[in-house]
Amino acid sequence: MLPLSIKDDEYKPAKFNLLVKISGWFRSILADKTSRNLFFFLCLNLSFAFVELLYGIWSNSLGLISDSFHMFFDCTALLAGLAASVISRWRSNDSFSYGYVRAEVLAGFVNGLFLIFTAFFIFSEGVERALEPPDVHHDRLLPVSIAGLLVNLVGIFVFQHGGHGHSHGDEGHGHSHSLFNGSAGHGHSHGSHGHSHESKHGHDHGHSHGGHGHSHDDPHCHDDHLHTPGKGSSKQILQGVFLHIVADTLGSVGVIISAILMQKYDLMIADPICSMLISILIGVSVVPLLRESIGILMQRTPPPLDHTLPECYQRVQQLKGVYNLQEPHFWTLCTDVYIGTLKLLVAPDADSRWILSQTHNIFTQVGVRQLYVQIEVAAM
Amino acid sequence: MDEKYSSNVISGGKLGRVDAPNARLTRYIVLLYFTKLLKAFGIFESYDLLKVVHIVQFLFILKMGCAVILVFFQKPFSSGKMIPKRQWIKILKHAVMSCVISLLGFFGLTLCGPLRTLLLFEHSDLVVISLLSVLFTSSGGGPSKTRGAAFFIIAVICLLLFDNDDLMAKMAEHPEGHHDSALTHALYTGIAFLGVADHKGGVVLLVLALCLKVAFNTASRKLSVEIGGTKRLYALSNLVSAVVLLPWVIVLSATTESKVESWSGLILPFAMIIFSVMILDFYVESICMAKLETSRCARYGSIFLFLSGLLLANFWTHPLTDQLRAVSNPVHQSSTEHVLSGGVLVSACFFIMADSILSAPSSKGQKGTLVGYSPEGTPLYNFMGDALQHTSQSLPRFIKDSLKQILEEYDSRQIFYFLCLNLAFTFVELFYGVWTNSLGLISDGFHMLFDCSALVLGLFAALMTRWKATRIYSYGYGRVEILSGFINGLFLMVIAFFVFVESVTRLIDPPNINTDMLTPVSVGGLLVNLVGICAFSHAHSHGASKGSCSGHDHGHGHGSAEHSHGGHGHSHGGHGHSHGHGHSHGSAGGGMNANMRGVYLHVLADTLGSVGVIISTILIKQFGWLIADPICSLFIATLIFLSVIPLLKDACEVLLLRTPPQHEKDLNFALEKIQKIEGVLSYRDPHVWRHSASVIAGTIHLQLMSDVVEQRVIQQVSAVLKDAGVNNLTIQLEKEAYFQHMSGLSTGFHEVLTMTQQMESIKYYKDGTCIM
C-alpha cells in the first residue's frame, strides 16, 4: 500500500500566477451557490459604497463619506464570509491536515464578533446622544426607513419559504439601507448601519454552515472532497438567520417610530433610545451564534453527543475483553462532522481487531465520522 | 408583643424536614400574610392613638382587653393544674418585664413612627439569635450568616444615618413641652443627654428593646413549660401586667387631665388593635409554628410584615385614606410625619434580605435527615445530598480565592495590575467628566471602558486557561487564550478601521482642534510613555516581554486623556507603538502566548497613541498644519493593521487546526522514521494540531503487517512523535483485514449504516459475557 500523503503535493500551487489565480477564485466562487450569492451581495454593496463615497466627495458631504466607510466596514463581514466559503473548499495539505473547513466556523465567529462590536458602538453612541440629543434632520428619514421596513418584511417572508430565497431579501435590504443612510445623515446612520450589516451577517453565516456540512462529507479519505450542495445545513443556524432578520426588522420599525416621534412630537430622546434597543437586540441575537462557534473552536464535546456518549462508553466497556476506556476526546470539526479519539485498555487475549471494528460501529451510529482508537494491552 | 414564646418547644424537636403537602402549607402562609397585614395595620393605628392617649394608659388598655379575652377563651384558672405561689411570683416578674419591654417598644413607636418600628422591632427570635451568634461567637454558622448579619447592621445604620425625615428638625426644636408624664420626660431627657435626636434615639431604643425582647422570650420558655403551655402563660401574664399597671394609670389619670375628648370614639380602634396586634397575631403565629418550620415561619412572617408596613406607610397619610378613616376615627390629625424616605426603603430591602438569610435553616442543626434508629437506640442520620454539597459561597471568600488565583501567575498578575490602574483612571475621568459636565471626557471614559474590556477578556482567559478539563471540554480550556488573543486582535483591527475612517473624513475637512488644553495633558502623557518605554526595554532585556506592559498601562491612561481633547488621537498613538511591538514579538518568538500577545498589542497601541497626538499637536501649534492630525491618524491606523496581522494569522492557524509550524519539520522527520519502523506498512491521516500553548494533539492511523506485536509498535511510534512535540497522541493500528473492512465502510454513509446494523446484530450475538 502506498502512502497516500504523497498525493498531497499535487494540490500545492505550482507557481504564483495572479491571473490564473484570480480566475480560479472566480470560478470557485461562481461554482457554488452560497458563495455566488455572497459575491453578488458583496459587489452590490461595494458599488453602493463607492457611489456613495464618490458622491460624498463630489458634494463635499461629510455624512455621506463617513457613511460610505461604514458601508465598507459592513462589507468586510461579507468579505469574510465569502473568503471563508472559498477557503473552506480548499483541499487539505500537509500543514492543514483537516483541510480548511474550519474557516467557516471561524468566519461565523468573526461575523458574530463584528456584530457585537457594532452593537457596542451603537450603544455607546446612543448613550452619548441620550446625554445630549443632537439635531437630526428627519425630512427624508421616514420614507426611506419605511422602504427599509418593507424590504425587511419581504426578507422575513422569503426566508420563511426557504433558505435561498432569503438571499434576495437581504440584498434589497442592504440597498435600501444605504440609501437611507445617505439621506439621513450621520445621526441615524448608526442605527441603520448596525442592522443592515447584521442581516448580511446572519446570512453569510447560515450559508457557510450549510456549505460546510457538505464539504466534509467523506469521513475517511481526505484526499477527495465532494462538493455537492447538501441539505445538511443545521436548522438551528437557519433559525439564527431568521432571528437576525427579525431583529433587523424591529430595528427599522424602531427607526420609523423614532422618526415619527421626532417629527410629530419633537421627542428627540426617541432616537438614542431606539438605537440602544436595537443594539441590545443585536447583542442578544448574536449570543447563541457566538456560543456555538466558540464551543466548536474550543474543541467542545459536540452538544448533540452530550447525552449519547456516556451510553456509547458503556457499550464499549461491555465489549468482551475491554477493561477500560481512557481519554475520550470528542470534538466538532465543522457542522455535523464529529471527530473522536479514545484509548482502550484490553485484556491480553482479546481480539483487538474485533474490538476495533465494534468500537467503530458503536460510534458511527451516533454520528462520529472519524474515530481514532488506540488499543493498549493491559500488562498481566 | 410576646408572641411565640415557645417556638422551639413546639417545633424545635423535629428531626428532619417536614414535608407537608404544598396546598396546606400555602393555606398557612396566606393566613400568616393576612395576620401580618392586620398587625401592621394595628401598629399604624396605635401610632395614631398614641398621639392622644398616654402611653401607660394605652398599654394598660391593651393588656386589660387582651387579658379579658384570653381569660375568656383560654380559661387559665379552671383548666390545667393549680399554680403554686412560687410560680405566681415568677409570673409577676414575667409580667413586669413584658410591661417594660412593651413600654419601650411603644415609646420607640412614638419616636420614630410605625414603619420604622415595624422594620426594627418585629424580627423573630430566630433571626436575632442567629444575628447575635454571628456577632459574638466565633462559630456563627458560615459565611452566609455573616452576610446576613452585615445586611442587618447596614440596614440599622441606614435608618440611623440616611433617613432624612422632616420631623427630625421639628422635634428637635421643641424637645420639651408636650411630654405628658414623668416617664416620657425622663426618657426624652435621657436621649437628649446622649446627644442624639429623637428619631435616632427611637431607633437605638427599638434595637435595645428588640434584644431585650429576645432575651426575655428565651428566658420565659422554661416558665411556660412549668405553667403548662404558652397560651396559658400569655393569658396570665397579660392579666397580671394589667393589674400591675392599674395603680399607675389611676395615679396618672388623677394628676393629669386627659387630652381625649370622648373615650367612646376610641373603643373601635382599641378593639382593633387588641385583636390584631395582641391576639390574632399570637394565635396564628403559634399555629404556623406548629405547622410550618420555625425558620420558614419566621422568614415569611417578617417579610410579610415589612411588605405590608411599606404598603401601609405609602397609603396611610394619603388624603383618600384620611377621608375613609375620618368616619371611624375622629381623632386623627393630618400629619406628614415619618414619611417614606429613600433611607427607609433601602433599609427595608436590607432588612428583608437579612431576615431571609438569617432565618434560613442553619446548616449545623438540620444537616442530616433521620433514617432510623440503631440497635442501641441512638438515632441515625443521613448526611446526603444537598446538606453536604450545598455550602454557601461567601462573596469575600470568592473574591479572595480568585484574587489569589490571579496573583499566582505572572500573566494574570500583570494583566490584573493594568486593569486596576486603567479602571481607576477611567473612573476618575468619568467622575470628573460628569462633575464638570464635559461630554468629551465622558465619551472618552466610555472609550476607556471599552479598552478595559480587552484587558478583562485577557485576564479572564488567563484564568480560564488553568481550569481543569471537564467531560464536555475534554482537552481543557487551553484554547481560551488563543481565542482571546484572536478577539483582541480583531478589536484592534476594528479600532484601526474606525481611526482610518475618521482620519479620512478629517483629511477632507480638517476640524478646528483647540490645542491649548491639549498641551499639558499630552506632555504628561509623553512623560508617562517614556517611563513605559523604559520599563518595556528593561523587561525586554530580561526576556519576558510582559514586564513592559505594566509601564505601559500608565501611558495608556494618559493617551486616552488626550484623546478626549484631540478626538481620535488616542487610538492612533497606539499604533505607532504597536508597530514597535510587532518587532519585539518577532524577537521574543513563541515564548508569549496568544492571549498575552493580544493584550500586549492592545496596551501598546493605546500607549503610543499619545506620541501621535503630541506630534500632531506640536505641528498644529507651531506651524498651523491642521492636516497633521489626520495624517498621523492614517499612519497609525496602518501601523495597527500591520502589527495585528501576524497575531491574527497565528491565531487563525491554530483555530484552523494547522500543523504547528514550529514542529512541522520535526514531524515530517518523525513520519519518515515511523515509516521505517519494523512492521509498519504505511500510515494514513496524520493529523497534528496545536490545542493550546502547551498541548499538541495528534492522531494517526498505522497499517501493520499481520505478524508484528502491536504494543511495541505503539510504544515506538509514540516515542518518536513525542520527541517531535506531540503530547496528546492517539494511534490506531490496523492490520490488513481491518483496513479492508474499513475501506469498505467508507464508501458511503448509507452503506455504513446498513453495515453497522448488520454488525450490531452480530455483536449482540457475540458479547454475551460482559467484562467491566
Side-chain angles (χ1 to χ4, degrees):
Chain A
M1 191 159 295
L2 287 173
L4 301 174
S5 53
I6 285 178
K7 230 168 136 191
D8 289 343
D9 292 338
E10 291 172 22
Y11 296 112
K12 286 189 175 168
K15 242 179 205 177
F16 191 79
N17 186 340
L18 195 65
L19 211 68
V20 170
K21 231 179 175 180
I22 286 178
S23 70
W25 286 348
F26 263 116
R27 228 176 303 135
S28 67
I29 286 171
L30 295 180
D32 188 54
K33 194 167 183 185
T34 310
S35 51
R36 196 167 56 223
N37 284 338
L38 275 175
F39 182 67
F40 288 144
F41 297 159
L42 185 65
C43 287
L44 210 89
N45 257 328
L46 277 179
S47 55
F48 264 114
F50 270 112
V51 168
E52 205 176 348
L53 182 66
L54 288 180
Y55 188 75
I57 290 174
W58 183 55
S59 66
N60 205 9
S61 135
L62 207 62
L64 271 183
I65 293 174
S66 81
D67 206 61
S68 69
F69 275 104
H70 278 278
M71 290 279 296
F72 279 128
F73 184 65
D74 291 352
C75 287
T76 59
L78 268 183
L79 199 65
L82 185 63
S85 71
V86 171
I87 285 174
S88 67
R89 269 180 283 141
W90 288 358
R91 308 291 161 99
S92 60
N93 54 30
D94 269 350
S95 299
F96 291 86
S97 54
Y98 282 110
Y100 293 84
V101 283
R102 274 256 173 135
E104 307 260 354
V105 181
L106 204 59
F109 180 64
V110 170
N111 278 343
L113 276 183
F114 275 179
L115 271 184
I116 290 270
F117 290 154
T118 327
F120 183 84
F121 280 125
I122 293 173
F123 192 81
S124 60
E125 189 92 353
V127 169
E128 248 170 63
R129 296 221 182 141
L131 292 178
E132 189 185 3
D135 212 27
V136 184
H137 1 194
H138 38 68
D139 350 322
R140 268 182 297 169
L141 198 58
L142 201 53
V144 179
S145 51
I146 286 176
L149 175 66
L150 284 181
V151 173
N152 270 331
L153 285 178
V154 169
I156 287 182
F157 182 73
V158 172
F159 179 75
Q160 269 175 331
H161 275 249
H164 62 115
H166 107 93
S167 62
H168 190 65
D170 260 3
E171 172 187 356
H173 178 62
H175 181 74
S176 79
H177 261 298
S178 66
L179 262 181
F180 165 61
N181 290 335
S183 62
H186 208 54
H188 260 284
S189 63
H190 264 294
S192 63
H193 259 307
H195 70 116
S196 73
H197 169 47
E198 169 198 10
S199 72
K200 282 159 215 156
H201 273 306
H203 179 68
D204 358 326
H205 178 62
H207 266 298
S208 61
H209 266 288
H212 245 347
H214 277 301
S215 60
H216 219 3
D217 236 357
D218 44 351
H220 272 281
C221 312
H222 269 281
D223 302 326
D224 52 347
H225 274 261
L226 301 169
H227 297 302
T228 50
K231 308 257 174 302
S233 60
S234 71
K235 220 203 266 171
Q236 117 203 57
I237 287 168
L238 283 181
Q239 202 177 356
V241 175
F242 183 63
L243 273 180
H244 273 228
I245 295 186
V246 169
D248 214 354
T249 315
L250 287 181
S252 49
V253 169
V255 171
I256 289 175
I257 289 175
S258 72
I260 289 175
L261 284 178
M262 281 192 295
Q263 254 176 1
K264 298 267 178 197
Y265 306 103
D266 256 7
L267 277 176
M268 282 302 171
I269 200 82
D271 176 42
I273 287 176
C274 274
S275 56
M276 276 194 259
L277 279 181
I278 290 167
S279 67
I280 288 172
L281 269 180
I282 294 175
V284 168
S285 66
V286 168
V287 164
L289 168 63
L290 273 184
R291 188 186 290 157
E292 195 183 335
S293 53
I294 284 179
I296 292 176
L297 290 178
M298 276 185 60
Q299 316 283 70
R300 183 198 196 282
T301 301
L305 297 187
D306 271 355
H307 296 292
T308 51
L309 278 181
E311 199 183 311
C312 291
Y313 297 158
Q314 193 73 26
R315 282 170 67 187
V316 168
Q317 284 185 331
Q318 280 168 357
L319 290 178
K320 190 182 171 191
V322 174
Y323 284 165
N324 201 358
L325 183 148
Q326 294 160 338
E327 301 181 32
H329 295 300
F330 284 87
W331 47 278
T332 318
L333 180 63
C334 56
T335 312
D336 289 341
V337 178
Y338 307 130
I339 293 178
T341 63
L342 49 93
K343 291 183 181 172
L344 291 179
L345 197 66
V346 300
D349 56 345
D351 181 3
S352 63
R353 262 168 294 176
W354 178 76
I355 290 173
L356 195 58
S357 62
Q358 287 303 309
T359 312
H360 273 270
N361 278 339
I362 288 169
F363 284 100
T364 312
Q365 278 167 8
V366 297
V368 178
R369 300 277 186 90
Q370 285 191 43
L371 187 67
Y372 295 82
V373 183
Q374 176 169 348
I375 289 179
E376 287 173 350
V377 178
M380 283 306 280
Chain B
M1 299 258 163
D2 345 16
E3 70 269 24
K4 60 183 131 83
Y5 266 49
S6 56
S7 55
N8 292 336
V9 175
I10 294 172
S11 64
K14 269 174 229 152
L15 288 164
R17 302 197 161 197
V18 184
D19 288 330
N22 228 351
R24 270 180 57 207
L25 285 189
T26 341
R27 212 167 64 206
Y28 287 116
I29 288 170
V30 170
L31 184 66
L32 193 66
Y33 178 67
F34 276 112
T35 318
K36 293 297 176 188
L37 188 65
L38 276 180
K39 184 173 180 180
F41 190 76
I43 284 177
F44 272 83
E45 191 78 46
S46 55
Y47 174 69
D48 281 350
L49 273 185
L50 274 172
K51 282 178 199 154
V52 285
V53 184
H54 189 272
I55 183 165
V56 180
Q57 283 171 336
F58 177 79
L59 193 63
F60 171 71
I61 295 171
L62 279 196
K63 295 272 178 189
M64 195 62 216
C66 185
V68 167
I69 296 173
L70 279 177
V71 165
F72 181 71
F73 277 113
Q74 209 66 37
K75 303 188 180 61
F77 297 107
S78 53
S79 67
K81 57 183 193 282
M82 278 297 291
I83 297 163
K85 196 182 167 192
R86 203 158 37 89
Q87 284 185 356
W88 275 113
I89 296 172
K90 278 186 184 168
I91 292 174
L92 183 68
K93 281 183 197 164
H94 182 270
V96 171
M97 278 309 289
S98 84
C99 276
V100 170
I101 290 168
S102 308
L103 268 180
L104 282 179
F106 280 112
F107 189 65
L109 177 65
T110 59
L111 283 183
C112 50
L115 176 60
R116 290 156 182 82
T117 311
L118 277 181
L119 287 180
L120 280 168
F121 195 56
E122 298 297 331
H123 293 281
S124 73
D125 299 355
L126 194 75
V127 170
V128 181
I129 287 171
S130 64
L131 171 72
L132 291 177
S133 75
V134 166
L135 289 183
F136 297 111
T137 61
S138 55
S139 61
S144 71
K145 297 279 174 186
T146 318
R147 222 179 304 155
F151 280 149
F152 196 93
I153 290 169
I154 289 172
V156 173
I157 288 174
C158 266
L159 272 188
L160 272 178
L161 298 183
F162 302 111
D163 185 16
N164 291 318
D165 203 339
D166 292 339
L167 198 69
M168 272 165 61
K170 208 172 79 187
M171 277 221 172
E173 284 168 12
H174 59 105
E176 318 290 328
H178 76 295
H179 305 146
D180 323 300
S181 71
L183 177 72
T184 350
H185 187 70
L187 279 170
Y188 266 112
T189 42
I191 289 168
F193 183 71
L194 286 175
V196 279
D198 288 348
H199 188 91
K200 290 175 184 174
V203 171
V204 175
L205 200 68
L206 279 176
V207 172
L208 279 180
L210 177 66
C211 295
L212 266 183
K213 185 182 86 174
V214 171
F216 164 72
N217 282 349
T218 322
S220 64
R221 211 175 282 163
K222 197 178 148 219
L223 183 64
S224 76
V225 176
E226 284 173 10
I227 298 291
T230 337
K231 291 167 189 164
R232 196 174 181 204
L233 176 67
Y234 189 58
L236 287 178
S237 155
N238 269 326
L239 191 64
V240 173
S241 42
V243 173
V244 168
L245 285 175
L246 183 63
W248 196 353
V249 172
I250 292 171
V251 172
L252 265 182
S253 46
T255 50
T256 59
E257 85 257 32
S258 165
K259 284 194 281 183
V260 183
E261 298 94 29
S262 70
W263 282 95
S264 60
L266 294 182
I267 287 174
L268 196 64
F270 266 118
M272 162 76 201
I273 292 169
I274 289 169
F275 178 69
S276 63
V277 177
M278 305 292 282
I279 294 170
L280 186 67
D281 184 52
F282 177 74
Y283 275 112
V284 169
E285 190 102 13
S286 52
I287 289 172
C288 287
M289 284 289 183
K291 301 292 181 190
L292 299 170
E293 283 170 74
T294 325
S295 55
R296 253 177 106 179
C297 179
R299 191 184 334 165
Y300 286 133
S302 16
I303 290 173
F304 288 153
L305 199 58
F306 296 158
L307 289 180
S308 39
L310 282 175
L311 198 72
L312 283 177
N314 202 14
F315 295 116
W316 198 253
T317 49
H318 198 271
L320 196 68
T321 40
D322 275 355
Q323 281 175 6
L324 279 180
R325 278 181 310 134
V327 184
S328 64
N329 185 10
V331 298
H332 176 76
Q333 308 143 346
S334 68
S335 64
T336 56
E337 42 199 292
H338 301 308
V339 286
L340 276 174
S341 73
V344 174
L345 285 180
V346 170
S347 74
C349 292
F350 274 113
F351 269 126
I352 288 172
M353 280 194 283
D355 266 20
S356 59
I357 292 171
L358 284 175
S359 64
S362 74
S363 51
K364 251 182 269 163
Q366 303 194 338
K367 205 177 250 171
T369 49
L370 184 72
V371 288
Y373 292 91
S374 70
E376 295 85 37
T378 48
L380 296 175
Y381 293 94
N382 182 16
F383 290 89
M384 258 197 52
D386 49 15
L388 286 181
Q389 289 164 5
H390 193 262
T391 52
S392 69
Q393 259 286 355
S394 157
L395 192 65
R397 192 179 298 164
F398 174 72
I399 291 174
K400 211 175 81 187
D401 280 356
S402 42
L403 265 186
K404 207 173 119 200
Q405 259 193 339
I406 287 169
L407 296 182
E408 228 166 43
E409 222 151 282
Y410 193 76
D411 292 7
S412 48
R413 199 169 54 221
Q414 293 297 329
I415 300 179
F416 182 67
Y417 290 150
F418 303 158
L419 185 65
C420 286
L421 258 167
N422 247 332
L423 277 181
F425 193 85
T426 309
F427 278 108
V428 167
E429 199 176 348
L430 271 182
F431 277 121
Y432 192 74
V434 170
W435 188 40
T436 58
N437 205 9
S438 133
L439 203 64
L441 272 183
I442 292 174
S443 81
D444 203 61
F446 277 107
H447 277 275
M448 289 279 294
L449 273 185
F450 187 65
D451 288 351
C452 283
S453 71
L455 282 180
V456 170
L457 185 76
L459 182 62
F460 189 65
L463 275 187
M464 215 169 148
T465 307
R466 274 179 271 151
W467 289 2
K468 291 271 184 333
T470 60
R471 189 177 70 82
I472 301 294
Y473 290 92
S474 56
Y475 284 105
Y477 291 84
R479 277 257 165 135
V480 171
E481 68 182 24
I482 289 152
L483 273 182
S484 130
F486 187 68
I487 293 172
N488 268 331
L490 279 181
F491 253 151
L492 279 179
M493 288 284 245
V494 172
I495 289 173
F497 183 83
F498 280 122
V499 171
F500 190 82
V501 169
E502 186 83 21
S503 58
V504 167
T505 50
R506 287 198 188 177
L507 205 60
I508 295 166
D509 179 20
N512 212 348
I513 304 170
N514 58 339
T515 47
D516 29 320
M517 283 215 0
L518 205 55
T519 334
V521 185
S522 43
V523 167
L526 179 63
L527 284 180
V528 177
N529 275 336
L530 284 178
V531 172
I533 288 165
C534 285
F536 169 67
S537 52
H538 180 66
H540 210 69
S541 66
H542 270 276
S545 32
K546 245 136 267 161
S548 59
C549 290
S550 67
H552 275 307
D553 175 16
H554 255 306
H556 170 52
H558 269 283
S560 64
E562 284 134 35
H563 176 51
S564 68
H565 298 288
H568 261 275
H570 161 46
S571 36
H572 293 289
H575 303 324
H577 240 321
S578 58
H579 187 52
H581 168 52
H583 264 296
S584 76
H585 166 59
S587 63
M592 207 188 218
N593 63 41
N595 179 29
M596 287 310 288
R597 269 170 71 191
V599 169
Y600 189 49
L601 265 180
H602 204 106
V603 170
L604 269 177
D606 284 343
T607 312
L608 293 179
S610 54
V611 171
V613 172
I614 287 172
I615 291 174
S616 63
T617 312
I618 289 173
L619 287 180
I620 290 171
K621 246 192 158 174
Q622 295 292 319
F623 308 104
W625 291 349
L626 283 183
I627 204 87
D629 180 41
I631 286 177
C632 267
S633 309
L634 272 180
F635 187 61
I636 282 160
T638 323
L639 282 180
I640 290 187
F641 249 98
L642 291 180
S643 64
V644 171
I645 281 173
L647 171 65
L648 279 183
K649 201 176 135 243
D650 287 0
C652 272
E653 279 177 353
V654 174
L655 290 177
L656 286 176
L657 304 180
R658 186 198 200 282
T659 307
Q662 304 97 306
H663 298 276
E664 214 164 3
K665 218 168 254 173
D666 291 346
L667 282 172
N668 286 334
F669 192 58
L671 287 178
E672 273 172 30
K673 252 198 217 165
I674 287 170
Q675 195 89 56
K676 285 177 194 146
I677 291 174
E678 193 186 342
V680 175
L681 278 175
S682 69
Y683 61 87
R684 192 162 66 81
D685 297 350
H687 293 307
V688 176
W689 40 275
R690 179 185 284 280
H691 178 72
S692 65
S694 59
V695 177
I696 293 179
T699 55
I700 190 169
H701 284 191
L702 288 180
Q703 280 92 43
L704 299 186
M705 293 180 204
S706 49
D707 54 345
V708 292
V709 183
E710 295 174 352
Q711 290 310 301
R712 191 184 301 150
V713 175
I714 285 185
Q715 274 172 11
Q716 283 170 337
V717 171
S718 55
V720 166
L721 284 177
K722 207 154 261 171
D723 281 346
V726 181
N727 49 18
N728 193 329
L729 183 67
T730 309
I731 304 160
Q732 177 165 326
L733 298 179
E734 294 156 1
K735 293 192 175 173
E736 220 163 333
Y738 172 77
F739 183 67
Q740 281 164 5
H741 162 68
M742 282 316 283
S743 55
L745 270 186
S746 62
T747 46
F749 191 63
H750 289 288
E751 288 157 56
V752 172
L753 267 184
T754 54
M755 200 170 282
T756 50
Q757 277 155 10
Q758 289 167 6
M759 285 285 177
E760 199 174 26
S761 58
I762 296 168
K763 189 198 69 193
Y764 282 134
Y765 171 69
K766 272 187 181 173
D767 56 15
T769 56
C770 304
I771 299 172
M772 285 301 287

